[in-house]
Amino acid sequence: QAQLVASGGGSVQAGGSLRLSCIAPEYLRYTYCLGWFRQAPEKEREGVASTIPGDTYTYYVDSVEGRFTISQDSAKNTVYLQMNNLKPEDTAMYYCAAKRGSCRVFTGYKDWGQGTQVTVSS
């Protein structure tokens, strides 16, 4: 199984920014949907953003629309999640994941990376 390695989490105050990175060399080589997910304590995991590298389409959960941006750098085999105007409710463990198929839905992901913690204080 190819690897997805996430990093970039940390602790920031509300209104701050973080950029998460997911190194995914095998997945960027082929047409995989790459997504970012998060899971807060005692809450279900939710999809945050997704994209197919090289595609113009990106998808976001409503709660992050306009604040988060998913992008990719093929030369670095990396997918990013730029998170601006962070809120305490964004606090969670963030994961990157990959799947074949449509990015329109945040289901069906088969391959997961380890998480990176994001903590936003008020």
Side-chain angles (χ1 to χ4, degrees):
Q1 178 180 337
Q3 287 190 323
L4 299 127
V5 181
S7 63
S11 297
V12 296
Q13 290 190 327
S17 298
L18 284 172
R19 188 177 75 164
L20 305 183
S21 301
C22 177
I23 300 174
E26 294 300 318
Y27 299 99
L28 268 71
R29 190 174 301 171
Y30 302 104
T31 309
Y32 275 85
C33 176
L34 289 164
W36 285 98
F37 291 74
R38 65 186 180 187
Q39 187 166 20
E42 300 182 358
K43 291 190 176 181
E44 291 188 357
R45 185 175 61 199
E46 68 169 346
V48 174
S50 64
T51 187
I52 293 179
D55 201 326
T56 57
Y57 293 100
T58 54
Y59 304 92
Y60 300 94
V61 68
D62 288 348
S63 60
V64 307
E65 186 82 50
R67 299 189 297 123
F68 291 11
T69 303
I70 188 170
S71 63
Q72 57 96 18
D73 185 333
S74 296
K76 296 183 178 180
N77 294 317
T78 301
V79 175
Y80 300 102
L81 185 67
Q82 178 67 44
M83 306 184 295
N84 298 328
N85 190 22
L86 282 161
K87 303 176 180 181
E89 51 264 42
D90 295 318
T91 294
M93 187 72 77
Y94 284 70
Y95 301 88
C96 59
K99 69 169 179 177
R100 290 284 198 180
S102 174
C103 276
R104 293 179 180 272
V105 293
F106 289 112
T107 56
Y109 283 80
K110 302 295 185 182
D111 300 331
W112 294 83
Q114 89 293 358
T116 185
Q117 178 68 36
V118 172
T119 303
V120 184
S121 57
S122 57

